[in-house]
Amino acid sequence: MSITAPQGFTAAGIAAGIKQNGSPDLTLVVNNGPRKAAAGVFTSNRVTAAPVEWTKRVVADGELTAVVLNSGGANACTGPDGHADTEATARRVSQVLDVRPDDVAVCSTGLIGIRLPMDRVLSGIDQACAALSPDGGQAAAIAIKTTDSVHKTAVAHQDGWAVGGMAKGAGMLAPGLATMLVVLTTDADVSAAVLDETLHDAVSVTFDRVDSDGCMSTNDTVLLLASGASTVTPTREAFADAVHSVCADLARQLIADAEGSTKEIRIDVVGAASEHDAVDVGRAIARNNLFKCAIYGEDPNWGRVLSAIGTTDAQFDPHLLNIAINGVWVCKDGAAGEDRGNVDLTGRDVVVTADLAAGRQRATIWTNDLSVTYVHENSAYSS
């Protein structure tokens, strides 16, 4: 049941008519307490959608009662009218639930530059409120999909408490978040300050290390809500582990559903002088289109990995670099190593190991191949 697995939450997902194809497109998540703690992490894109600006402001006090999310339109770059639409959305939820508008977060996803059909959004909120249920987690996750082929949920059950989550996203998966919306819930009795620190820590090593195509959205939002309904206050370590587990699970699901992908690529950078170096190198490889095309063609072209590493400021000696693809060390000491013909790329899972031979730090970045289907889907997206 994902977000409704923890006690104290109800959810709904309905078809409000925002999408022309009639698919579910509006979700409502409600925290029934007794605690209403919340924290958020948002896109680092300097161009932000109206819902992001609204939600940043309302979550700043560490409290939220509800989150309303729509697919079928991003409400980004829509000017003052778009901001008014976001506020009207929050006010409609507040009226129906009898809560303050400033306790309602708003999230949107879809095409940029187009205003939402507000008559359908507002009437959809009424429908969603009527449909709220402790069993509504799956319907909620389905209604936030855009180009996703599957809905994405995860749960970590603990001793007397739980963390649940749902996510949408299938493209533009890049550091600084992705073209994704994520809602996490917990019935643990924890403060907003704990939520904020835990969420930032988890996002930094999960969602922020998923890099599908090097692009960054205007709408990315990750929210964590705590109801306290279990009356259990876990240790900081136990809570952090559970939140990390759910975020990591959802992040893997995002990369597995990346638009047009035929390969899921794990890039392990080891032997780095610093974690920062390891992350930079991993991202450089993940964003190298030549490398991603090679993997799509099942070509273990390690030269493309080596050239990507060379574009970074990381500390390394080019004559000591080692590269393995699916366990075969095709590059040793900056030159040809084992026979590249031994690399099996026929499966979906690909592991690239880049050894910088400069220290003991490491990092993992997840990406996918670049396929013909990806190009087609994104060239026809608006039409």
Side-chain angles (χ1 to χ4, degrees):
M1 294 184 294
S2 68
I3 53 170
T4 52
Q7 302 173 62
F9 292 93
T10 53
I14 60 102
I18 302 170
K19 293 177 179 175
Q20 294 183 356
N21 63 8
S23 297
D25 50 23
L26 192 138
T27 287
L28 184 61
V29 181
V30 177
N31 181 356
N32 298 296
R35 187 185 280 276
K36 303 293 180 71
V41 177
F42 304 90
T43 180
S44 55
N45 197 320
R46 293 172 59 193
V47 178
T48 51
V52 170
E53 295 180 19
W54 169 271
T55 302
K56 277 185 177 181
R57 182 175 68 79
V58 300
V59 79
D61 66 356
E63 291 189 7
L64 286 177
T65 298
V67 184
V68 58
L69 312 93
N70 75 268
S71 54
N75 193 10
C77 307
T78 46
D81 289 337
H83 286 272
D85 291 343
T86 294
E87 183 171 350
T89 299
R91 289 193 178 280
R92 185 59 157 258
V93 173
S94 74
Q95 291 167 0
V96 178
L97 296 179
D98 193 23
V99 300
R100 297 188 310 130
D102 284 356
D103 287 335
V104 180
V106 181
C107 302
S108 299
T109 182
L111 278 176
I112 291 171
I114 300 174
R115 287 187 64 192
L116 295 171
M118 287 305 295
D119 55 337
R120 298 179 183 180
V121 172
L122 298 180
S123 63
I125 289 170
D126 296 342
Q127 297 175 52
C129 285
L132 286 169
S133 166
D135 300 320
Q138 178 167 304
I142 291 172
I144 60 174
K145 291 167 53 183
T146 50
T147 58
D148 307 65
S149 66
V150 295
H151 63 283
K152 303 165 180 69
T153 64
V155 180
H157 290 285
Q158 303 299 313
D159 188 11
W161 59 280
V163 175
M166 67 177 185
K168 66 77 47 184
M172 294 174 73
L173 306 179
L177 302 186
T179 179
M180 67 183 186
L181 303 179
V182 178
V183 177
L184 308 168
T185 58
T186 182
D187 51 12
D189 190 9
V190 292
S191 69
V194 171
L195 294 182
D196 187 66
E197 180 180 349
T198 302
L199 183 61
H200 277 82
D201 287 347
V203 167
S204 70
V205 292
T206 56
F207 297 122
D208 206 22
R209 294 193 181 176
V210 168
D211 197 328
S212 174
D213 54 14
C215 300
M216 185 189 298
S217 175
T218 56
N219 289 60
D220 311 320
T221 301
V222 182
L223 296 173
L224 173 57
L225 284 62
S227 70
S230 71
T231 71
V232 177
T233 301
T235 65
R236 292 285 288 270
E237 182 180 6
F239 185 62
D241 286 347
V243 172
H244 178 275
S245 172
V246 171
C247 288
D249 190 337
L250 292 173
R252 282 297 309 275
Q253 292 183 56
L254 289 172
I255 205 69
D257 196 31
E259 293 168 347
S261 68
T262 68
K263 310 288 185 185
E264 296 172 42
I265 308 170
R266 172 176 173 157
I267 302 168
D268 292 326
V269 181
V270 301
S274 67
E275 184 179 7
H276 180 270
D277 279 3
V279 171
D280 275 0
V281 167
R283 287 177 175 170
I285 298 169
R287 293 181 173 187
N288 187 288
N289 287 338
L290 290 175
F291 160 72
K292 291 155 74 71
C293 288
I295 296 300
Y296 171 66
E298 299 184 351
D299 175 9
N301 191 334
W302 57 267
R304 294 178 176 178
V305 178
L306 217 62
S307 63
I309 295 172
T311 66
T312 72
D313 294 326
Q315 180 180 329
F316 62 84
D317 181 339
H319 302 293
L320 298 178
L321 294 174
N322 304 297
I323 307 295
I325 302 177
N326 279 355
V328 180
W329 289 95
V330 288
C331 171
K332 290 185 177 180
D333 296 328
E338 298 176 34
D339 184 357
R340 53 179 280 167
N342 294 328
V343 179
D344 182 3
L345 289 174
T346 57
R348 183 172 178 88
D349 294 328
V350 176
V351 179
V352 175
T353 305
D355 179 9
L356 304 186
R360 302 180 64 179
Q361 299 301 308
R362 61 184 300 146
T364 296
I365 301 291
W366 288 92
T367 190
N368 53 273
D369 58 338
L370 185 57
S371 71
V372 174
T373 303
Y374 173 87
V375 175
H376 172 73
E377 183 164 341
N378 283 282
S379 62
Y381 181 64
S382 296
S383 55

